[in-house]
Amino acid sequence: MSSVEKVRGRYPQWVAERLPSDAWTEDSGVAFPLYRMAGSCLNFPRLLQLGLDGLEAELADTPFKFVADHLRDTIDSYIGSVSEEMVKTLLAIRNKPPRHFREAIQLFWLYALHSGTWNYGRLDVALGSFLKADLDKGVLNREEALELVCGLWRLMHSYDNMYDNRLIVGGRGRPDEAAADEFALLAIEATRKVRLNQPQLSLRFYDGQNSELWERAIDAIGEGCTFPMLYNDEVNIPAVQKAFGVSADLAEQYTPYGCGEYVLNHYSEGSPNGVINLLKALEITLHSGRDPNNGRQVVEDVPSAADYQDFDALWQSYCRVVEYHVAVLAHQQKLEYDVMAEEAPLAFISALTSDCVQQKKSAFGGGARFLGGCLETYGYTNAADSLHVLQELVFNQKRYTLPQLVEAMDANYEGFSEIQAACRQVSKYGNDEGMADSMARKVHEHICNEASKQAVKVGLSSYLVVVINNWANTVLGWKTCASADGRKSGQPMANANNPSPGSDLNGVTAFLNSLVKLDPSLHAGAVQNMKFSKEWFGEMRPKFEALIKTYFLHGGAQAMITVVSRDDMEAAMREPEKWGHLMVRVGGFSIRFVDLPRPGQLEVLARTLN
């Protein structure tokens, strides 16, 4: 019996009834489980401090005691088949802690491969001291060190997972900032040199940090690298402290992974094991709890469209449909953890996760200091815009009845062009407009707070929303009918918490002002995708830096920036063989534009270019 079958076999009846057995890419539904363990970020500095002999001694009385020997076996298997220089490196790390940068990189990478993790945490903390010592002593020059990092980047790229392969540099909470900055600067330079879509380099920054990190980051972004992604510690540390319920010192160890979720570097687990489509939840609400795609009754006792006398009643029904699904996804998350704890100790992950060694328990079996969960949310912006349209056209202006709007949506607006035009004319999130942005906050706060309530109920340290995208907005859009924001059936939904394509009409300042209205202390990560033309990074660069710094000063938590022109993307669609170098951000990950399926290309092309 597979692990998935074991999880589903433990479903209480109420859980089995609410979760489809089909994959989320195939079924038309509101909520879907994801069967995986993801997002572990390990204590690599501890590994490099101890070396394999030290690690073996530390693990002697734990279920993970075989880890060091297993790594030695791997090292031994390479000797005789690699270069003389590589043999020296492998022999140097077979027992003792690494002494040099080259040795530290090698031990880190061997361990990462064995652990199965695709996310590497604060790598400047792990490797910075080795790099600085070698540079200071003349063991390496900067060009040699850069080539080593470029080689590591190529290895990460070959370990192909475009949704992960995250590593973090910069930020508060690094013991030796000067040494860490040496690696961080080299990491940015390597990203500029190799031009790959992996690893996903992320720069944390704060007031007073080495300004050269920021300058080199903007250089790289302006050249079209899409990396590093920018994370604002001044906002994120207090937000993480509140959301996770931890001290400021622990919050300083927040680490983005995957498509943009946060964990506490080697202190917490927070696998994203559920998906909810908020626009589909509204669709179900407007059809008396029934899925119009397949006729299945999803939620009982939901009023018909004709029964709502005011917007508050409609809002309460929408909330009930969302809550119905959030509760089941939280329960599903804990069941997955329980099965994983029984199935496997995940020894390589647990050995470098606090406090598994002290507890002598696996990361998902009571060993990790904090065991949380994540809920991926999609369709959030479209749900908010649609609710705002319904509030305005039906309940405030009384221009149409709710059944009339539902009829128009069910017809995919065919024969209802006047209604669709009216829906599109209502103000939307992303324009710094009070009512639309207020509805976005209302939808955001509801799903975040409802998810957070589930942690105590199911026995997790936290259960937090993540507002990300891995082009799921496009895939889930295929199964979502026409919506009140004017979107037609099957079209992509908005990316993460960004405005819907074409709906932000008041310019980049208004767009950024809307983004900062959503409280970052309620979730475990949100994607802020931004697309700028190349001109912003030439003579207009001072204006760009003033704009983005003001955004961060006013509460912006994060930015994932693509620098590209519409002409370039259209040319790449016509002649893909000539545009293999063109990189774009899809959501929480980057990809060569020509490698995107055509629906994904069209969705990226439709986003506003500032």
Side-chain angles (χ1 to χ4, degrees):
M1 182 183 294
S2 70
S3 295
V4 171
E5 291 170 327
K6 289 181 179 179
V7 172
R8 295 194 70 87
R10 296 193 185 186
Y11 282 1
Q13 184 176 354
W14 69 276
V15 173
E17 289 172 352
R18 299 184 193 185
L19 290 181
S21 58
D22 293 331
W24 64 275
T25 54
E26 300 170 4
D27 195 63
S28 170
V30 176
F32 305 91
L34 298 174
Y35 300 101
R36 63 185 181 188
M37 297 292 112
S40 296
C41 292
L42 308 183
N43 193 349
F44 289 115
R46 182 66 175 162
L47 167 71
L48 301 182
Q49 175 192 8
L50 290 173
L52 292 187
D53 281 357
L55 182 65
E56 183 175 50
E58 189 169 86
L59 303 179
D61 195 26
T62 74
F64 329 119
K65 58 187 177 182
F66 62 86
V67 162
D69 264 345
H70 195 77
L71 277 165
R72 290 194 194 99
D73 288 344
T74 299
I75 289 171
D76 292 343
S77 72
Y78 280 113
I79 293 173
S81 61
V82 295
S83 68
E84 183 177 342
E85 183 178 32
M86 179 63 76
V87 169
K88 289 180 181 178
T89 300
L90 292 172
L91 290 175
I93 62 172
R94 190 184 186 282
N95 298 99
K96 302 301 181 184
R99 301 161 299 166
H100 300 295
F101 185 53
R102 184 188 302 273
E103 295 168 2
I105 286 180
Q106 186 63 73
L107 182 56
F108 150 74
W109 184 240
L110 283 173
Y111 197 101
L113 287 174
H114 280 76
S115 72
T117 185
W118 279 308
N119 297 282
Y120 312 113
R122 307 189 76 173
L123 209 53
D124 56 348
V125 175
L127 297 175
S129 60
F130 294 96
L131 171 63
K132 188 172 188 303
D134 278 4
L135 292 175
D136 289 348
K137 294 174 184 176
V139 174
L140 286 175
N141 60 43
R142 191 166 185 81
E143 290 70 28
E144 291 168 331
L146 176 60
E147 190 50 43
L148 285 173
V149 177
C150 288
L152 179 60
W153 269 213
R154 294 183 187 103
L155 287 169
M156 290 177 175
H157 182 261
S158 67
Y159 189 33
D160 188 25
N161 188 327
M162 64 186 177
Y163 304 119
D164 289 280
N165 268 331
R166 280 260 194 160
L167 64 91
I168 319 303
V169 297
R172 296 188 186 277
R174 297 177 296 163
D176 185 347
E177 285 205 11
D181 286 351
E182 288 278 10
F183 181 84
L185 288 167
L186 211 61
I188 296 171
E189 186 60 29
T191 294
R192 293 174 69 185
K193 184 175 180 179
V194 298
R195 294 298 182 94
L196 300 169
N197 71 319
Q198 301 167 61
Q200 295 200 74
L201 182 65
S202 304
L203 173 67
R204 287 176 44 182
F205 65 91
Y206 64 91
D207 294 343
Q209 183 169 276
N210 181 353
S211 61
E212 191 178 358
L213 290 172
W214 174 270
E215 293 298 324
R216 298 291 76 78
I218 301 303
D219 289 344
I221 292 168
E223 293 169 5
C225 290
T226 73
F227 300 114
M229 294 170 277
L230 304 174
Y231 286 84
N232 181 7
D233 275 8
E234 305 298 344
V235 169
N236 286 319
I237 290 172
V240 168
Q241 184 178 1
K242 179 180 176 183
F244 284 79
V246 297
S247 67
D249 286 347
L250 278 171
E252 285 183 349
Q253 300 306 320
Y254 81 91
T255 305
Y257 72 90
C259 293
E261 304 92 330
Y262 297 162
V263 287
L264 305 175
N265 196 36
H266 72 76
Y267 288 102
S268 75
E269 299 289 349
S271 185
N273 284 32
V275 163
I276 189 166
N277 182 345
L278 296 178
L279 184 59
K280 190 72 179 182
L282 178 58
E283 179 185 299
I284 296 293
T285 303
L286 293 173
H287 291 84
S288 305
R290 188 179 299 276
D291 187 338
N293 280 339
N294 54 29
R296 184 168 67 92
Q297 189 70 40
V298 180
V299 183
E300 300 290 341
D301 302 322
V302 178
S304 69
D307 292 334
Y308 294 107
Q309 301 304 307
D310 54 44
F311 178 76
D312 186 62
L314 175 62
W315 169 255
Q316 293 303 323
S317 285
Y318 161 78
C319 290
R320 187 163 76 85
V321 172
V322 170
E323 291 162 13
Y324 176 92
H325 291 95
V326 171
V328 72
L329 287 169
H331 194 85
Q332 141 81 23
Q333 176 107 33
K334 184 58 167 61
L335 283 177
E336 283 200 51
Y337 285 172
D338 292 344
V339 169
M340 178 55 66
E342 296 167 11
E343 290 289 296
L346 298 176
F348 281 86
I349 288 175
S350 299
L352 293 183
T353 298
S354 304
D355 302 315
C356 293
V357 173
Q358 294 86 340
Q359 298 285 345
K360 300 179 183 178
K361 295 179 180 178
S362 68
F364 293 98
R369 187 174 302 186
F370 303 104
L371 185 61
C374 287
L375 172 59
E376 295 185 6
T377 59
Y378 301 96
Y380 146 76
T381 297
N382 300 86
D385 283 345
S386 295
L387 284 161
H388 177 51
V389 167
L390 296 175
Q391 184 178 38
E392 283 297 300
L393 295 184
V394 175
F395 299 103
N396 291 348
Q397 300 176 21
K398 301 187 185 302
R399 188 170 170 180
Y400 304 103
T401 66
L402 191 55
Q404 283 178 310
L405 278 175
V406 172
E407 182 185 9
M409 288 184 278
D410 285 349
N412 201 24
Y413 291 111
E414 297 296 329
F416 295 89
S417 57
E418 179 186 329
I419 290 181
Q420 185 182 26
C423 291
R424 287 176 169 170
Q425 287 167 6
V426 176
S427 62
K428 303 295 192 299
Y429 165 73
N431 294 287
D432 197 18
E433 192 279 327
M435 294 299 291
D437 288 356
S438 177
M439 185 63 74
R441 287 199 303 272
K442 187 181 181 81
V443 171
H444 177 256
E445 290 171 6
H446 172 256
I447 183 64
C448 290
N449 289 327
E450 186 59 32
S452 185
K453 290 177 189 175
Q454 304 303 317
V456 172
K457 295 180 181 179
V458 301
L460 295 172
S461 302
S462 61
Y463 188 64
L464 298 169
V465 155
V466 290
V467 190
I468 60 171
N469 182 52
N470 42 28
W471 97 292
N473 64 315
T474 298
V475 176
L476 290 172
W478 297 340
K479 303 294 183 179
T480 305
C481 297
S483 45
D485 57 353
R487 172 191 153 276
K488 297 194 78 172
S489 178
Q491 290 184 342
M493 300 183 293
N495 181 283
N497 65 357
N498 284 37
S500 295
S503 67
D504 50 326
L505 305 175
N506 291 348
V508 63
T509 301
F511 158 62
L512 295 176
N513 285 342
S514 290
L515 287 184
V516 300
K517 294 178 183 179
L518 306 178
D519 188 349
S521 72
L522 302 178
H523 57 63
V527 169
Q528 319 285 4
N529 276 304
M530 304 174 191
K531 195 165 69 177
F532 287 88
S533 66
K534 296 175 183 178
E535 288 75 16
W536 282 94
F537 292 82
E539 293 182 0
M540 292 175 62
R541 175 161 167 165
K543 290 185 178 180
F544 168 78
E545 292 206 45
L547 178 75
I548 202 70
K549 286 180 178 179
T550 301
Y551 158 70
F552 285 128
L553 183 65
H554 288 174
Q558 186 260 4
M560 295 180 174
I561 300 171
T562 298
V563 179
V564 68
S565 73
R566 183 180 183 88
D567 289 344
D568 287 347
M569 289 187 285
E570 290 177 340
M573 293 176 75
R574 290 193 303 269
E575 300 179 288
E577 69 279 0
K578 297 180 181 179
W579 289 89
H581 61 282
L582 184 64
M583 206 78 69
V584 295
R585 290 215 65 81
V586 176
F589 69 97
S590 288
I591 190 172
R592 296 185 191 280
F593 184 74
V594 296
D595 290 338
L596 265 178
R598 191 169 183 83
Q601 291 179 335
L602 293 172
E603 191 271 325
V604 172
L605 191 64
R607 297 180 199 166
T608 300
L609 180 65
N610 297 299

